[in-house]
Amino acid sequence: MTQHDTIFSKPLPSISDFCFDQQVVEVFPDMINRSVPGYSSILQTLPQLVSRYVQPDTHLYDLGCSLGAATLAMRKGCEQTSNCKIIGVDNSQAMIERAQLHLDGYKSQVPVQLLCQDLTEVPIMNASVVVLNFTLQFIPEEKRDAVIQRLFDGMNDNAVLLVAEKIRHPDEQMNDVLIDLHHNFKRANGYSELEISQKRAAIENVMKIDTLQAHQHRFQKAGFKHSTTWFQCFNFAAMLAVK
Ligand code: GEK
């Protein structure tokens, strides 16, 4: 059973930058479900997208896999394809250890290898599916172009890159509307004003968000032939790009 997220419920004397430590691992499923609108819809759709693009005898990568929720969804989508291997990567040791326990709990023919490593350093090769489910936003902005380019270079023709992110609207007034809708979503899920504002302060420095246009531009620049947004709820969006 996942624990209820109360990390920011008491006033904190000072707010440190958010990090994915043991305390976060314990509450992570509750935290992400109550904070990210559309998270479960995106996960439910992943098997369909994976089965559409997966190729036999290839690798599938889940970069920033946390507890392996997307890894499990990917595994469902490639169960019928021969000789696939999933590689899950996260640079939080606490996340990887718990993800291994989750994955061991479900039987499957598809091998999964979990790596505790910085995703910017993991070799990508023979990939038919690459997933960045709410992870790119934690990579320093100046490195994002190079990260997407490396993924593109390690992908096969017709492979798919699936990227979900919190996004910023270029029109400030519209951006404010989307932020208010998101905060109301968090209130409706039981987060207090104090929790919302302390979390915001903790995440401000570690999560810089791009516009949808910046993402699309980056995909094109890397060489992807096709890309679109396939899901959006408030300021959270899921995109796909095909090589
Ligand atoms: C899910 N995809 O449940 N290298 C590897 N991992 C990283 C890096 C990095 N440089 N930076 C951050 N992470 C998951 C949810 S959570 C999203 C992803 C969120 C990892 C970090 O340790 C964390 O586990 C994950 O990226 C982001 O579908 O909490 O909003």
Side-chain angles (χ1 to χ4, degrees):
M1 259 300 276
T2 175
Q3 287 179 33
H4 193 65
D5 169 26
T6 55
I7 293 176
F8 294 102
S9 60
K10 302 254 156 53
L12 298 168
S14 71
I15 312 236
S16 337
D17 282 352
F18 187 82
C19 73
F20 294 94
D21 56 12
Q22 196 63 47
Q23 186 193 23
V24 170
V25 165
E26 299 304 332
V27 300
F28 188 74
D30 179 68
M31 172 186 278
I32 198 157
N33 275 296
R34 288 201 291 139
S35 309
V36 176
Y39 176 71
S40 64
S41 305
I42 292 168
L43 286 183
Q44 274 165 26
T45 310
L46 272 189
Q48 267 185 71
L49 288 168
V50 168
S51 71
R52 189 179 180 113
Y53 287 99
V54 68
Q55 301 164 3
D57 310 306
T58 60
H59 296 151
L60 294 82
Y61 293 85
D62 182 10
L63 305 175
C65 61
S66 300
L67 302 186
T71 318
L72 284 171
M74 291 162 73
R75 199 161 70 170
K76 261 192 219 152
C78 67
E79 219 60 81
Q80 308 304 324
T81 309
S82 65
N83 200 24
C84 287
K85 178 183 171 183
I86 304 180
I87 297 144
V89 179
D90 204 289
N91 64 353
S92 155
Q93 182 70 37
M95 284 288 187
I96 286 288
E97 279 170 16
R98 186 62 58 87
Q100 191 66 62
L101 291 179
H102 277 193
L103 287 165
D104 291 347
Y106 298 90
K107 274 213 180 109
S108 165
Q109 311 274 53
V110 183
V112 178
Q113 180 184 18
L114 294 180
L115 303 175
C116 183
Q117 224 177 311
D118 190 318
L119 70 89
T120 60
E121 290 164 8
V122 172
I124 306 291
M125 56 188 83
N126 186 26
S128 62
V129 177
V130 181
V131 170
L132 285 162
N133 207 36
F134 300 105
T135 307
L136 191 62
Q137 59 202 15
F138 294 106
I139 301 296
E141 288 162 294
E142 66 281 5
K143 287 192 178 172
R144 290 180 193 167
D145 287 4
V147 166
I148 297 299
Q149 189 64 61
R150 270 187 81 243
L151 301 183
F152 178 88
D153 293 343
M155 288 167 67
N156 298 339
D157 283 348
N158 303 311
V160 73
L161 172 66
L162 297 164
V163 180
E165 289 274 283
K166 186 175 188 181
I167 50 149
R168 178 170 55 81
H169 200 286
D171 176 333
E172 211 175 312
Q173 202 183 101
M174 295 299 98
N175 198 41
D176 289 344
V177 173
L178 298 180
I179 289 173
D180 286 347
L181 290 170
H182 176 224
H183 286 169
N184 283 338
F185 170 89
K186 292 188 79 167
R187 287 182 190 107
N189 284 330
Y191 282 116
S192 66
E193 299 310 310
L194 180 69
E195 285 176 297
I196 292 172
S197 70
Q198 292 197 130
K199 172 77 180 274
R200 201 177 186 187
I203 208 120
E204 220 162 44
N205 289 332
V206 287
M207 195 174 117
K208 305 280 182 200
I209 56 180
D210 286 325
T211 61
L212 275 177
Q213 293 76 0
H215 285 291
Q216 298 295 349
H217 179 66
R218 189 179 290 125
F219 297 148
Q220 277 169 19
K221 218 168 61 167
F224 286 97
K225 280 195 299 231
H226 311 275
S227 65
T228 189
T229 301
W230 62 269
F231 180 89
Q232 185 172 346
C233 184
F234 313 142
N235 45 349
F236 291 80
M239 297 156 271
L240 70 87
V242 177
K243 179 160 172 175

